Amino acid sequence: MMERYFQKDIECAPREQIIALQNEKIVKQVHHVWNSVPYYKKLMQDKGLTPDDIKGIEDIHKLPFISKKDLRECYPYGMLGAPLKDCVRIHSTSGTTGKRVIAFYTRNDLDLWSDCTARALVAAGASDEDVVQVSYGYGLFTGGFGLNDGAVKLGCLTVPMSSGNTDRQIMFINDLKATVLCCTPSYAAYIAETMKEQGYTPDQIPLKAGIFGAEAWSEEMRHDIEKTLGIKAYDIYGLTELSGPGVAFECSDQNGMHVNEDHFYVETIDPETGEVLPEGEEGEIVFTSLDKEAFPLLRYRTRDISRLSREKCSCGRTFVKMMKPKGRSDDMLIIKGVNVFPSQIETVLLNLGYPANYQIIVDRVNNTDTFDILVEMTPEMFTDDIGEITARQKQLVSALKDMLGIRANVKLVGPKTIARSEGKAVRVIDKRKI
């Protein structure tokens, strides 16, 4: 496909121009935070820093980190960086325990955010002639509004579906001839599975592209969705704390996501020591928002494990790429002393032809971890032949041990036994009281 850009001058800017812009913005942003956010000012003072110590991005490593723990402690207004009268919207993280993180937005923050998601849509091949169906949740979750506003800014016919009511989703895809679908990858897989069951073949589905994010997903899951829907599936990255989807986005190369470096500075650190790692080494991703007004986070620890790459991209964009996160340092399971990421399990299942619908159940019995995985069979696999089921389970146990280094107890269950998700999939149930 011929590459297009939403804001070519910056998306393809020379490295020197991007660095100069980042230097200018970080100096201004540190002064803004110092003057507007007493909590962060105290963190800087505790490290013996003043804004004058930060003369450019080469000094960012001197600044203190911010974590989700800090944001919860500051609930609701403690990290606010703009007068409340200048704030026009909030979004909030999903979560079931403790204080939620609330992120605030000025009009300018929303405008820059929609630029970022418009860039992602164009990189996925969208233009003002496309019909974009936004099937992320709306409301406090950033997904729906983030892609909605980018699609509107680009000039697309925007269908604000939100998640759920899959039959209606399919009706609108067909009747409105939707060409771009935006939702979580697990919901995209469910829509694809349902359309296949209803008899649709890929050439009968009007979609040409999908932008899927908000949860980890594997390359195998991408290929499965692409094959079933007849589309190209693009990854998008973001966090509520920074501005939702659009912090980074995939291009036609489909090999890592370009970070919008004019708005975000990205580092990788050792998650244990906090030491900044050389570019290209795998570590925890840390972001600094360079021009957010209402919620200006400096050195925010994402807990996502990834690596950065500055290899020249075939799309022509010069923004650094972050590779698809392999998991999160806080979502990573440590089972019997071994680091386990759900994405590793998903890779094994999809490689062996199982659907990406599974559940990991971890418990502790007599001071020993138990590790169970429920795996759904496809209708074609389903059988009452106990011997065949046992053989399949043994195959999975062996493949998973090769991948993970430890043994899991695998139980195959019937099609659609595990509850489907219309938002973020619930992959892990950890019952341990550690």
Side-chain angles (χ1 to χ4, degrees), residues 35-299:
N35 293 324
S36 306
V37 185
Y39 183 91
Y40 198 81
K41 178 179 180 179
K42 183 176 185 307
L43 291 182
M44 286 181 63
Q45 289 173 326
D46 289 347
K47 289 195 75 171
L49 291 171
T50 71
D52 293 337
D53 293 312
I54 310 301
K55 297 178 171 58
I57 55 171
E58 71 278 0
D59 293 323
I60 270 188
H61 69 277
K62 298 176 184 177
L63 291 168
F65 293 114
I66 282 282
S67 69
K68 189 166 280 193
K69 180 174 176 286
D70 294 299
L71 303 187
R72 287 190 175 124
E73 283 181 16
C74 290
Y75 175 92
Y77 291 125
M79 290 296 290
L80 189 61
L84 205 57
K85 69 178 181 61
D86 293 339
C87 299
V88 295
R89 200 158 86 205
I90 69 157
H91 283 287
S92 177
T93 55
S94 57
T96 55
T97 60
K99 296 286 189 185
R100 295 171 70 105
V101 172
I102 293 179
F104 298 84
Y105 298 78
T106 64
R107 289 184 190 280
N108 186 60
D109 291 336
L110 293 177
D111 190 44
L112 297 183
W113 181 16
S114 61
D115 283 346
C116 291
T117 49
R119 290 175 188 176
L121 283 158
V122 173
S127 72
D128 57 7
E129 296 182 357
D130 281 285
V131 177
V132 176
Q133 185 154 316
V134 182
S135 302
Y136 286 107
Y138 282 69
L140 292 173
F141 178 55
T142 54
F145 278 106
L147 271 301
N148 185 100
D149 292 355
V152 169
K153 178 166 273 195
L154 183 56
C156 307
L157 176 61
T158 307
V159 186
M161 285 295 296
S162 194
S163 59
N165 199 334
T166 305
D167 286 339
R168 188 174 63 188
Q169 300 273 2
I170 293 169
M171 180 184 77
F172 271 51
I173 287 171
N174 286 317
D175 294 351
L176 295 176
K177 300 290 183 280
T179 50
V180 181
L181 176 66
C182 304
C183 61
T184 61
S186 55
Y187 193 42
Y190 184 44
I191 290 173
E193 177 187 2
T194 305
M195 292 189 84
K196 185 177 180 181
E197 287 175 357
Q198 291 179 1
Y200 291 99
T201 57
D203 60 326
Q204 294 173 322
I205 299 170
L207 296 170
K208 67 178 185 181
I211 297 180
F212 307 132
E215 61 188 19
W217 53 309
S218 63
E219 284 302 303
E220 291 77 16
M221 188 174 184
R222 183 213 297 268
H223 296 148
D224 203 42
I225 293 169
E226 288 185 329
K227 182 180 172 186
T228 309
L229 291 178
I231 63 172
K232 279 193 80 169
Y234 296 84
D235 210 347
I236 192 167
Y237 178 87
L239 301 125
T240 299
E241 300 90 323
L242 292 167
S243 74
V247 172
F249 62 92
E250 215 167 34
C251 63
S252 56
D253 197 45
Q254 289 183 298
N255 179 32
M257 292 169 282
H258 290 286
V259 175
N260 280 306
E261 287 191 276
D262 52 334
H263 301 305
F264 303 99
Y265 181 74
V266 61
E267 309 166 81
T268 41
I269 64 165
D270 182 312
E272 298 297 325
T273 66
E275 177 192 357
V276 179
L277 298 173
E279 218 164 69
E281 283 196 23
E282 187 177 272
E284 180 184 340
I285 298 291
V286 172
F287 277 105
T288 293
S289 51
L290 294 172
D291 41 25
K292 279 286 290 291
E293 295 174 339
F295 207 65
L297 298 189
L298 305 181
R299 300 200 85 200

